Amino acid sequence: MFRKLKCLSPLCLVLQVANETLHTDRPDLPECFQLSVLSWLPCIYLWAVCPIYLFYLKRNNRGYIMMSIKNRFKTVFGLLLWIVCWIDLFYTFHELRHGHSQPPIYFVTPLVLGMTMLLATFLIQFERLRGVQSSGVLFIFWFLSVLCAIVPFRSKILQSEVTDKLRFTTFYFYFTLVVCELILCCFNEKPPLFSNVVTDPNPCPETTAGFLSRMTFWWFTSMAIKGYKMPLEAKDLWSLNQRDSSKAMVPTLLKEWEKEQAKQNQASQAVYSKPHSPEEVEVLLSNQKAASRQPSFLRALIKAFGPYFLIGSGFKLLQDLITFVNPQLLRMLISFTKQKGVPDWWGYTLAFLMFFTAFLQTLILHHHFQYCFVTGMNVRTAVIGAIYRKALAITNAAKRSTTVGEVVNLMSVDAQRFMDLTTFLNMLWSAPFQIMLALFFLWQNLGASVLAGVAVMIMLIPFNAVIAMKTRAYQVEQMQYKDSRIKLMNEILNGIKVLKLYAWEDSFKEKVLAIRQKELNVLRKTAYLGALSTMAWTSAPFLVALTTFAVYVYVDETHVLDAEKAFVSLSLFNILRFPLNMLPQVISSIVQASVSLKRVQGFLSHDELDPNSVDRKNTATEYSVTVVNGKFTWAKEDPPVLHNINMMVPQGSLLAVVGHVGCGKSSLISALLGEMEKLEGDISIRGSVAYVPQQAWIQNATLRDNILFGKPYNEQKYRCVLEACALTPDLEVLPGGDMTEIGEKGINLSGGQRQRVSLARALYSDADVYLLDDPLSAVDAHVSKHIFDNLIGPEGVLKGKTRILVTHGISFLPQVDNIMVMVEGRVSEMGSYQELLKQNGAFAEFLRNYTLEDIIEEDEATEDLIEDEQMFPDDALSNHIDMVDSEPVINEAKRNFIRQISIISADGEGTRSRSVRRHGCSQRKHGEPQEKKKPHEMEKLIQAETAETGRVKTKVYLEYAKAVGPLLSVVICLLYGCQSGAAIGANIWLSQWTNDATRNQTKENVNMRVGVYAALGIAQGILVLISSFTLAMGNMSAARKLHHNLLTNKLHTPQSFFDTTPIGRIINRFSKDIYVIDEALPATVLMFLGTFFVSLSTMIVIISSTPIFAVVIAPLAFIYIFVQRFYVATSRQLKRLESVSRSPIYSHFSETITGSSVIRAYGRHSAFVLMSDMKVDENQKSYYPSIVSNRWLGVRIEFIGNCIVLFAALFAVTGKESLNPGLVGLSVSYALQVTMSLNWMVRMTSDLESNIVAVERVKEYSETKTEAPWDVEDKKPLPEWPMEGNVQFYNYSVRYREGLDLVLKNLTLDIKGGEKIGIVGRTGAGKSSMTLCLFRLLEAAAGEITIDKVKIAEIGLHDLRSKLTIIPQEPVLFSGTLRMNLDPFEKYSDEEVWKALEHSDLHKFVSNHPAKLELECSEGGENLSVGQRQLVCLARALLRKTKILILDEATAAIDLETDDLIQSTIRTQFENCTVFTIAHRLNTIMDYTRVLVLDKGQIAEFDTPTNLISQRGIFYGMAKDAGLVQ
């Protein structure tokens, strides 16, 4: 009885526990401790967690799971456990009846246990009904129960004789059942009925994974294995979890944001109400402060994503606490090795405890990361979604204030910053918390001396902060240089053809290299700062340790530095190092994110278009479009563009809007669409609207999708539409028919085809009102006639619909119902054609300018258009690669310059062209009609960019090392080795020093100990600095070389390369890849070398202290390499997939912004939002596994690290006789550090692999085939060549690229100096090819061209091109001064430039401008009108004044005045030069010396115009069509 009573006094209990356990070789716990504490632990846990868990289950219902055999067993075992416990209880009552009274514990424990088992059984069933497949709560409960039952189990086995037979048996039953429950708990149930897991083709295994599998991320293993076996593809990716998809995320954020906005609106409304009394005024004043507060996007983010994020924070808190357990265990371990006669099992227990805490810490840390990263991912999804939805609704004023590029940046950069921040955000509170805990434990350990170390840390903070500030400033500066460099590159690549024609490459190369040099200078400064901060980061823990230990030893004679103090402090300092370094980073990334936050908030707060500005409900009148007293502007603060507009368009009539360039015709259409700000008046439109913009907006999709635009496909209607829009012949020509993929911005369609696709889209949409903004200017005369007759005109398909047509084409005006003439934003007159002619006002004037004959001729001419002629699609300069087409039109919003493209290629669009275009690529080339055309050959337009797969070749690393410099590379590695040596030396010295304590020699050599320790440490710091410096220098030189080679090669690349490669792809090399080489790669290399040497030194230290450790290293290293290979293969491919799927988000986005007015007009808003969401989800589908792959790796690698700790500790325990405490401390504290390095090393290996790819990609583009040399020294022509200007072609043939048919066949011509030659021919006859041959943009396939007896094939390209002048079809200007655009090499004096301007009629415009010649041209010359740009090209030609001039006539409607002006200038200024004109309008060449008629690449006729007309051949036919002969 005595023993049983003793249970009740707690003090005795503690003493007894201590006696029975610590001081024996066979430890045991007293029975009452076993019965109370051990039995209650799991119960307390379960009852505590239960209410929260039940609440969670009530909220989250996943559908119920069918009863399975497993589930039945679980339930039965639970009930059996309850019965077993209560048998005990009843047995105790039974004993009581028989007079054996037991202490109360024998009643309480079985009762409590029984109740708990019932609860557990209830939970098993409740979870099944709620669809929980694997329960963490129960798993932990069973695990604890087994753990707590092991002790009584062991003591029962150790008992010599069994006194209490029944309890003995029930306990064994209990133990077996609990173990069974635990084992069953490890397996999963089947997924619930009707869950999406069942319907999903490729569900994410996470949803169905068991608790253990989730804790260790085991469920990811299947993907790691798949990725290792073969490169992953998009189809292998799991679908996104429902809660991470855009569908779930974006609405949550938008809901919170709308609440925020609503709050602010209420506040501001309070202010605007009129005050009546003084008190009210005061209230209002206080309110005004509230109103100035913008709606806070941050608050919306916190409300939407805070709760989920907090779970992660909870994990972080736990992890911070567990971190500090290991130093305490280390202290116990060291003291264990010091003491003699302590039982061994205590040492082993410590070793295993260290392992267990480290493992627990790993799991918790990675779950914290998982929560943070997923939050980050959700934030990015939501922010991108919000920005996309906003971009579709903002006003034009807002759109003008931000360029497309900036908005895409909001999406790419700023959303990314939020994402990066969420991963660190917890450090804000966790870092100070860790620092306080660490200081507390250090104080316990070393007393006040710690303050010295802390002082050093605090001194380092401003040092780091200053470096961070400086770096930030440099980064901003460098971004500016980078932006300007990319902008310049973009222009160069867009205008590359013009640069080649003018031989201007050198001047632009200099400009790029000048910017690059500035960029590199900034980078160099950043690298120096980086080296300093690396030194601070590596030396900080050492300096802190040094000061602390020195102070500790010197302050007081009695202080002895022993192993315990030294190494426990070291491990605490190592813990400190992380938060201290993270804090500045977190703060700087918070600063960055706050900037991003402001930008996103600003964008989301922009005004939206008022959806009700146009009244669509109107059904009262018979007019289908009415505007009353309309006054419109683009932005509220701008002056109005349209004044006093009154118009009524009767249902079913055709209204033409005419007027000079810039009089507000397009603005009127925008106003009708509701795109402009309505200042006063009313607009109403009856029914749905179809809109054809002036610049056709083409999506990157198939041709059919572009026309259907979301409407269902109807074969008959579709054919009819194609016929009306004259698209049928084009389809025969496109490689995939109407399933041909159209490049972005419609790059592989000619201007005219684009315009017709845009018309077809409008026609197919079958709307009530058609708004057509000058759709006919981009197509040829006969095509525009066809379209007008079959589509728009009184007999067209659209008759009976209301049509408003903006047009330049005078010939159609007699056939329209009403004409509205606009002058400077007002309606000057309106009426039918005859009425307006009678009024003799502005309209009559407008017509007189453009001669009446013109109209009559055009009408007759196109009567029966060439029925059987074989026509070829043109390959005029314009269209061989449309320069402006492929130009990312930067400020789309500036509508007034949009004429730019309407002028571009009026490619002869034959109505019945039966020709064949070949499309290997984005060029429009033509060969002979191929009869054997494969019908369903779906050719992709542009070769897909090859993503490298598999491992990165060693060659690439060697390439990079070569760029760094081979010798330097070796030196860098040596320096890193020395630095690690110094660090190891310092620590070994420390362990020797601590051993003095055991030998009592501390007093005599304190100075020597401190001195050497300091010397070694400082040496390490200096070596770190030097190695970082040399590494930085090496990286800089590599970056410079790689960029220089890339740029030089690109400027030397032949034109055909640019025609087959999308510009974005080349720009990507210059921006993304060069950025990686400049910034990401050096950082990765630095980290990689650092972590590699740290890991190496750890192994060396542990092996030297406990050599037996070498045995363990082999299997651990094997596992490590194994895991690392799996991870790197998978994560590399995931990263590639992620970046491949990322660009469609942005390109779709910029496409959307460009076409937002079209999307709105057709009401396709929500469809596009869905498309964007799908693209984002597609991207997150590859991003999510890549987050998890990092967690998967982390858990496995850290497990290896924890094993190292375990073995280091175990071997220390086994060898404790031979080891001194210093060595134990050294090896275990090193082992504790290694986990981090191992983890980072794998990360860095994989980062290195993915970043080194940039080198590979840049190399690939630095080694493309180049064109002929620019200068050939021994063949240089005389400086004054060509004197005469004679041009001869001998048997000249040419093809565009290898493998294509000849474009020109056996031309032989002889042209005397000073002749004026007109070149004409049907579309695609090879007119432009002739000019390209003169400039050698195309090299001869046979034959040769000579100019003044010099064979042009033998001289350098620059010598040739600088001696010819071309006025190209569409004017290309570069951003820079006007002076730079005319004369980039500054060869000419100012007078000469002014004279050229005078002749080209720009003199007045330029001299009136305050900046004169320094007038800044914006990108693409957007701030000049198209006519003015054409004149600038003329001025360039006048300046160069060479003997040979080539004029490629602009085809579409420039206002005719500019055209006449150019013609007359050429006639006077280039009187004695040889002039070649590619003519589209025959009247310009009727007075030329000779006319060359080309047909299918051969000379058909060549004679004077009068002779040709009398011959009645092809030329006569063309002249007749043009109405020049009767």
Side-chain angles (χ1 to χ4, degrees), residues 233-280:
E233 290 166 37
K235 63 173 194 306
D236 301 325
L237 298 174
W238 299 315
S239 27
L240 207 57
N241 292 335
Q242 209 48 50
R243 70 166 299 283
D244 297 329
S245 64
S246 302
K247 205 162 89 194
M249 284 292 113
V250 185
T252 40
L253 178 64
L254 286 178
K255 203 166 74 193
E256 296 300 337
W257 174 238
E258 275 153 20
K259 281 185 203 159
E260 279 297 313
Q261 281 177 309
K263 257 195 253 170
Q264 201 236 343
N265 291 345
Q266 286 165 2
S268 50
Q269 276 158 7
V271 177
Y272 299 137
S273 56
K274 293 267 192 309
H276 300 295
S277 62
E279 297 90 75
E280 274 193 48

Side-chain angles (χ1 to χ4, degrees), residues 194-369:
F194 318 119
S195 69
N196 56 353
V197 178
V198 189
T199 51
D200 198 343
N202 195 0
C204 181
E206 182 188 12
T207 42
T208 57
F211 174 72
L212 279 181
S213 163
R214 269 195 176 165
M215 287 312 287
T216 56
F217 296 96
W218 189 262
W219 54 271
F220 180 77
T221 312
S222 64
M223 184 171 282
I225 292 171
K226 192 183 267 180
Y228 178 70
K229 284 187 184 152
M230 58 184 207
L232 288 172
E233 290 166 37
K235 63 173 194 306
D236 301 325
L237 298 174
W238 299 315
S239 27
L240 207 57
N241 292 335
Q242 209 48 50
R243 70 166 299 283
D244 297 329
S245 64
S246 302
K247 205 162 89 194
M249 284 292 113
V250 185
T252 40
L253 178 64
L254 286 178
K255 203 166 74 193
E256 296 300 337
W257 174 238
E258 275 153 20
K259 281 185 203 159
E260 279 297 313
Q261 281 177 309
K263 257 195 253 170
Q264 201 236 343
N265 291 345
Q266 286 165 2
S268 50
Q269 276 158 7
V271 177
Y272 299 137
S273 56
K274 293 267 192 309
H276 300 295
S277 62
E279 297 90 75
E280 274 193 48
V281 174
E282 275 182 30
V283 174
L284 290 182
L285 285 176
S286 62
N287 261 355
Q288 229 144 358
K289 290 186 190 116
S292 63
R293 184 185 73 88
Q294 282 187 322
S296 148
F297 186 56
L298 179 65
R299 201 170 295 131
L301 278 176
I302 291 172
K303 281 183 185 158
F305 303 108
Y308 187 77
F309 184 70
L310 281 175
I311 305 177
S313 310
F315 276 120
K316 182 72 181 142
L317 183 67
L318 264 179
Q319 192 255 340
D320 285 351
L321 293 170
I322 297 177
T323 310
F324 289 97
V325 175
N326 262 336
Q328 303 310 315
L329 292 174
L330 176 66
R331 176 160 71 222
M332 289 166 149
L333 186 70
I334 293 176
S335 68
F336 163 79
T337 45
K338 268 198 279 194
Q339 295 168 353
K340 295 283 171 275
V342 182
D344 275 358
W345 67 267
W346 178 234
Y348 292 128
T349 311
L350 283 176
F352 276 104
L353 272 175
M354 277 178 124
F355 172 73
F356 186 71
T357 48
F359 185 59
L360 197 61
Q361 184 189 336
T362 297
L363 290 184
I364 290 175
L365 175 68
H366 285 290
H367 276 273
H368 152 244
F369 276 141

Side-chain angles (χ1 to χ4, degrees), residues 1194-1262:
V1195 170
R1196 275 143 197 73
I1197 294 292
E1198 286 181 28
F1199 182 74
I1200 292 173
N1202 301 337
C1203 288
I1204 293 177
V1205 174
L1206 173 67
F1207 288 118
L1210 278 181
F1211 294 142
V1213 174
T1214 50
K1216 96 173 209 220
E1217 304 309 319
S1218 57
L1219 286 179
N1220 51 35
L1223 274 180
V1224 173
L1226 181 68
S1227 73
V1228 178
S1229 62
Y1230 253 100
L1232 283 173
Q1233 268 182 75
V1234 78
T1235 326
M1236 195 87 163
S1237 316
L1238 287 179
N1239 212 339
W1240 274 107
M1241 198 162 96
V1242 178
R1243 292 277 156 83
M1244 288 304 126
T1245 319
S1246 92
D1247 280 3
L1248 194 59
E1249 281 210 4
S1250 40
N1251 285 339
I1252 205 89
V1253 173
V1255 177
E1256 186 175 19
R1257 288 164 51 116
V1258 168
K1259 287 295 286 183
E1260 175 196 357
Y1261 272 30
S1262 315

Side-chain angles (χ1 to χ4, degrees), residues 693-710:
Q694 192 171 13
Q695 230 180 334
W697 175 73
I698 303 289
Q699 278 179 277
N700 184 354
T702 63
L703 187 72
R704 177 183 293 184
D705 290 343
N706 265 301
I707 294 175
L708 298 182
F709 207 50

Side-chain angles (χ1 to χ4, degrees), residues 1169-1438:
V1169 167
L1170 266 177
M1171 268 161 72
S1172 168
D1173 282 355
M1174 270 174 52
K1175 287 184 161 57
V1176 174
D1177 287 348
E1178 204 47 47
N1179 177 239
Q1180 300 294 32
K1181 231 166 84 169
S1182 47
Y1183 176 70
Y1184 184 66
S1186 74
I1187 305 175
V1188 180
S1189 70
N1190 284 338
R1191 304 283 75 79
W1192 179 87
L1193 169 84
V1195 170
R1196 275 143 197 73
I1197 294 292
E1198 286 181 28
F1199 182 74
I1200 292 173
N1202 301 337
C1203 288
I1204 293 177
V1205 174
L1206 173 67
F1207 288 118
L1210 278 181
F1211 294 142
V1213 174
T1214 50
K1216 96 173 209 220
E1217 304 309 319
S1218 57
L1219 286 179
N1220 51 35
L1223 274 180
V1224 173
L1226 181 68
S1227 73
V1228 178
S1229 62
Y1230 253 100
L1232 283 173
Q1233 268 182 75
V1234 78
T1235 326
M1236 195 87 163
S1237 316
L1238 287 179
N1239 212 339
W1240 274 107
M1241 198 162 96
V1242 178
R1243 292 277 156 83
M1244 288 304 126
T1245 319
S1246 92
D1247 280 3
L1248 194 59
E1249 281 210 4
S1250 40
N1251 285 339
I1252 205 89
V1253 173
V1255 177
E1256 186 175 19
R1257 288 164 51 116
V1258 168
K1259 287 295 286 183
E1260 175 196 357
Y1261 272 30
S1262 315
E1263 289 162 0
T1264 48
K1265 206 169 102 256
T1266 52
E1267 57 187 359
W1270 285 347
D1271 300 298
V1272 179
E1273 281 310 315
D1274 48 344
K1275 296 273 190 195
K1276 260 201 181 324
L1278 300 169
E1280 57 276 7
W1281 172 88
M1283 301 281 289
E1284 324 269 310
N1286 299 334
V1287 180
Q1288 281 108 358
F1289 284 72
Y1290 298 112
N1291 286 337
Y1292 189 83
S1293 309
V1294 71
R1295 57 167 55 96
Y1296 272 111
R1297 283 201 323 283
E1298 285 301 312
L1300 292 182
D1301 298 333
L1302 293 175
V1303 191
L1304 296 175
K1305 308 187 200 71
N1306 304 333
L1307 293 197
T1308 304
L1309 296 172
D1310 192 352
I1311 292 152
K1312 300 280 168 287
E1315 279 199 277
K1316 308 284 178 283
I1317 303 291
I1319 304 176
V1320 297
R1322 294 270 179 241
T1323 334
K1327 305 188 292 279
S1328 305
S1329 317
M1330 260 187 83
T1331 55
L1332 296 180
C1333 298
L1334 279 172
F1335 284 91
R1336 281 178 64 198
L1337 279 187
L1338 297 177
E1339 295 286 3
E1344 61 189 10
I1345 301 178
T1346 57
I1347 297 179
D1348 283 1
K1349 311 240 167 43
V1350 175
K1351 294 183 179 174
I1352 67 166
E1354 292 177 352
I1355 59 177
L1357 290 179
H1358 276 187
D1359 292 330
L1360 168 67
R1361 290 172 185 171
S1362 57
K1363 295 296 164 62
L1364 307 174
T1365 305
I1366 186 167
I1367 300 181
Q1369 202 184 29
E1370 69 283 334
V1372 175
L1373 268 65
F1374 298 98
S1375 57
T1377 61
L1378 183 64
R1379 163 99 218 216
M1380 194 278 316
N1381 264 301
L1382 292 170
D1383 171 26
F1385 290 102
E1386 308 205 337
K1387 284 186 194 157
Y1388 306 101
S1389 66
D1390 276 9
E1391 294 86 83
E1392 292 177 281
V1393 176
W1394 276 111
K1395 203 164 139 215
L1397 288 176
E1398 209 165 311
H1399 287 311
S1400 59
D1401 204 48
L1402 278 169
H1403 187 268
K1404 183 161 145 257
F1405 167 72
V1406 180
S1407 53
N1408 287 344
H1409 201 281
K1412 303 266 189 301
L1413 286 177
E1414 297 305 306
L1415 158 71
E1416 276 296 325
C1417 301
S1418 63
E1419 195 167 339
E1422 297 247 314
N1423 51 354
L1424 300 178
S1425 77
V1426 176
Q1428 286 166 333
R1429 273 181 263 169
Q1430 200 76 48
L1431 295 176
V1432 170
C1433 290
L1434 178 63
R1436 278 180 193 161
L1438 291 165

